[in-house]
Amino acid sequence: MIHMKDVSKVYENGTVALDHVNVDIKKGEFVFVVGASGAGKSTFIKMLLREELPTSGDIVVNGFDIVHMKHEAVPYLRRGLGVIFQDYRLLPDKTVFENVAFAMQVIEAPRRLMQRSVNAVLDIVGLREKYKDFPSQLSGGEQQRVAIARAIVNDPAIVIADEPTGNLDPETSWGIMDIFQRINQSGTTIVMATHDKTIVDTMQRRVIAIENGSIVRDEAQGVYGYEA
């Protein structure tokens, strides 16, 4: 699913964001990426999306050679990825249904399939009855659930989440994590960068800890390992 071999990233100002990173993530895994701010987590995530390229090393994501692929192949890479951010990134002038459907419009999915798929994922996240609402009418937790629905509507092989509970209260966060667990149980690989110690410690999934651009821990049933 995801393979990084000897990956380093040095920015033009000399900052070493990643330093000889080696990672293998298999299909169906649920992986937390943890570490202090500035440790290299965001660069790690951006590499998977091909928003950043490594200075050296090799990366394969869902069968795509990130380093050597042609630019015109990037949209096909991203079709197999569902991406969720801390700040939701919903389109304010579109309804819940339209926000989720937008991900299918981009790939020119048939209208009949779009209707069926959007309704199905809104059921998964518990927002079917709010399909006509706009983002401004929703709570933060509901907006994040719309973002999750949008990320999974095209049935991605991998879901990448960057601090998805960062703006949410603990109770709402657990509701979001329940959705992620159900997605994972269906066979989807999940990679989640997070600062949420309670979630990581409670769930006991694989934990990759990054410090100063290097992987310092990679544990099958790990804990957060830092002060909250």
Side-chain angles (χ1 to χ4, degrees):
M1 270 282 110
I2 296 172
H3 175 71
M4 288 188 171
K5 183 178 180 182
D6 206 24
V7 170
S8 294
K9 176 66 176 183
V10 182
Y11 289 102
E12 288 184 1
N13 64 1
T15 299
V16 179
L18 293 178
D19 186 15
H20 300 287
V21 166
N22 292 281
V23 169
D24 279 292
I25 297 173
K26 295 180 173 60
K27 178 174 172 55
E29 282 200 85
F30 193 130
V31 181
F32 289 116
V33 181
V34 305
S37 296
K41 299 192 307 301
S42 292
T43 300
F44 182 93
I45 294 294
K46 287 177 180 178
M47 294 281 184
L48 303 183
L49 304 175
R50 207 178 187 269
E51 289 182 359
E52 295 279 2
L53 286 172
T55 305
S56 60
D58 294 303
I59 306 173
V60 177
V61 176
N62 198 26
F64 288 88
D65 183 335
I66 295 293
V67 177
H68 300 107
M69 67 190 295
K70 294 181 179 179
H71 183 71
E72 53 265 32
V74 174
Y76 297 97
L77 159 74
R78 293 177 179 165
R79 285 183 188 182
L81 307 176
V83 187
I84 301 152
F85 301 96
Q86 180 176 345
D87 56 357
Y88 322 136
R89 302 193 185 183
L90 302 179
L91 299 168
D93 59 340
K94 293 185 180 295
T95 64
V96 166
F97 186 96
E98 291 166 343
N99 262 282
V100 178
F102 185 74
M104 299 193 74
Q105 291 170 351
V106 169
I107 65 168
E108 300 179 343
R111 183 172 294 276
R112 185 177 297 177
L113 174 63
M114 191 181 302
Q115 183 81 36
R116 187 168 64 244
S117 297
V118 173
N119 286 335
V121 295
L122 288 178
D123 279 338
I124 289 172
V125 302
L127 287 176
R128 179 78 170 268
E129 75 285 358
K130 298 207 172 189
Y131 74 100
K132 288 185 177 179
D133 287 4
F134 288 89
S136 61
Q137 298 173 281
L138 304 177
S139 69
E142 288 170 336
Q143 290 186 63
Q144 191 61 294
R145 284 192 273 158
V146 176
I148 292 171
R150 180 182 58 192
I152 65 173
V153 71
N154 288 323
D155 195 24
I158 303 168
V159 167
I160 299 169
D162 192 1
E163 303 285 355
T165 61
N167 288 335
L168 306 176
D169 62 76
E171 183 177 353
T172 304
S173 295
W174 279 114
I176 295 297
M177 293 312 301
D178 179 64
I179 295 170
F180 278 120
Q181 290 197 84
R182 283 186 279 136
I183 295 168
N184 178 240
Q185 287 165 2
S186 73
T188 304
T189 305
I190 294 181
V191 180
M192 182 181 299
T194 185
H195 282 108
D196 198 316
K197 182 180 190 300
T198 301
I199 285 174
V200 175
D201 289 353
T202 302
M203 289 184 62
Q204 294 191 321
R205 298 300 191 104
R206 181 178 173 187
V207 174
I208 294 174
I210 301 178
E211 292 179 13
N212 298 318
S214 298
I215 293 178
V216 295
R217 261 190 308 128
D218 188 345
E219 301 169 327
Q221 291 181 301
V223 295
Y224 187 73
Y226 301 96
E227 292 299 319

